[in-house]
Amino acid sequence: DAGITQSPRYKITETGRQVTLMCHQTWSHSYMFWYRQDLGHGLRLIYYSAAADITDKGEVPDGYVVSRSKTENFPLTLESATRSQTSVYFCASSVGLAGNNEQFFGPGTRLTVL
Amino acid sequence: AQSVTQPDIHITVSEGASLELRCNYSYGATPYLFWYVQSPGQGLQLLLKYFSGDTLVQGIKGFEAEFKRSQSSFNLRKPSVHWSDAAEYFCASEDSSYKLIFGSGTRLLVRP
């Protein structure tokens, strides 16, 4: 299907485990983003990528790792999950960074860390 | 640091009533401003955006927003709310490095 997809949609894991959240887009957008959504905080940027093999930190990058070997995929890894990483994670993509380029969001992954 | 404030956590309106959701931003220059809507279990969808020019911006689903520089506000309005408008609404602005900063969101409940 065309668009931006995330998998899994729901994930429960335990403290200390490694978890990878997947994001895939079919538009060949250059930019991809990972946000986390927490009550009272809205969405906060974790990492973003301007192109394959180019990534940069956002507002809350600690505890997360990203990679982008292909334009269409942007996985987010929690190397050792903590309870504070329980959140809803959204992936987004856009043609460019400036405000004239709309960001398109995936449906989200709800992650619970026990 | 730049910030976006949505002072109302929840708002309840009756179906058919008018709606105004408040948003204030802190940024010296004219910001790029956005409103997004998030329906339950869904990702965010762009309703409208403001870059420059006419301060009243029309968006999808019958929404509009007005940019007021003197008040540092970008409030979202709709003249007649439908039950399907029940959702969470996020205001956002673009920071100096061209990334989005989101407000904490306002949850809209619609009474039948």
Side-chain angles (χ1 to χ4, degrees):
Chain A
D1 287 355
I4 184 165
T5 56
Q6 294 183 235
S7 61
R9 293 293 311 279
Y10 302 91
K11 177 72 177 178
I12 299 174
T13 191
E14 294 178 338
T15 301
R17 290 191 180 269
Q18 182 178 82
V19 178
T20 296
L21 309 183
M22 303 301 295
C23 179
H24 176 80
Q25 53 104 355
T26 61
W27 296 303
S28 298
H29 285 168
S30 295
Y31 282 85
M32 296 187 75
F33 309 82
W34 274 107
Y35 295 90
R36 59 178 290 172
Q37 182 182 25
D38 303 291
L39 203 61
H41 289 280
L43 277 74
R44 291 180 291 176
L45 182 64
I46 304 171
Y47 270 96
Y48 70 101
S49 168
D53 298 320
I54 301 175
T55 62
D56 206 351
K57 296 178 180 179
E59 180 185 354
V60 289
D62 293 344
Y64 303 96
V65 174
V66 293
S67 62
R68 194 161 176 212
S69 58
K70 293 183 178 180
T71 299
E72 61 267 29
N73 297 324
F74 191 38
L76 176 74
T77 298
L78 290 65
E79 292 192 308
S80 179
T82 65
R83 289 182 181 169
S84 65
Q85 292 177 310
T86 293
S87 187
V88 181
Y89 291 85
F90 287 99
C91 180
S93 72
S94 66
V95 171
L97 243 191
N100 202 33
N101 296 294
E102 179 179 350
Q103 286 190 24
F104 295 88
F105 286 79
T109 295
R110 182 174 294 275
L111 175 67
T112 301
V113 183
L114 302 176
Chain B
Q2 292 166 252
S3 65
V4 175
T5 302
Q6 293 180 248
D8 303 305
I9 299 174
H10 298 280
I11 282 187
T12 301
V13 299
S14 298
E15 191 168 16
S18 63
L19 170 70
E20 182 168 27
L21 302 182
R22 296 184 291 166
C23 172
N24 294 97
Y25 65 90
S26 69
Y27 188 49
T30 300
Y32 288 172
L33 295 163
F34 309 82
W35 274 101
Y36 283 85
V37 60
Q38 183 184 25
S39 298
Q42 303 295 315
L44 277 69
Q45 181 184 21
L46 182 66
L47 284 175
L48 48 79
K49 58 188 177 185
Y50 172 78
F51 294 150
S52 64
D54 194 345
T55 57
L56 186 62
V57 181
Q58 301 297 320
I60 62 171
K61 304 186 180 188
F63 285 92
E64 65 179 27
E66 185 171 14
F67 171 65
K68 292 185 177 180
R69 182 190 300 277
S70 61
Q71 298 176 19
S72 297
S73 69
F74 187 57
N75 294 348
L76 182 71
R77 301 194 295 244
K78 188 170 186 179
S80 178
V81 169
H82 187 262
W83 63 267
S84 60
D85 293 324
E88 186 143 23
Y89 292 81
F90 292 95
C91 183
S93 73
E94 190 177 81
D95 71 12
S96 55
S97 58
Y98 309 108
K99 295 188 287 297
L100 290 178
I101 300 173
F102 287 87
S104 55
T106 298
R107 183 169 297 278
L108 173 65
L109 304 173
V110 180
R111 276 193 300 257

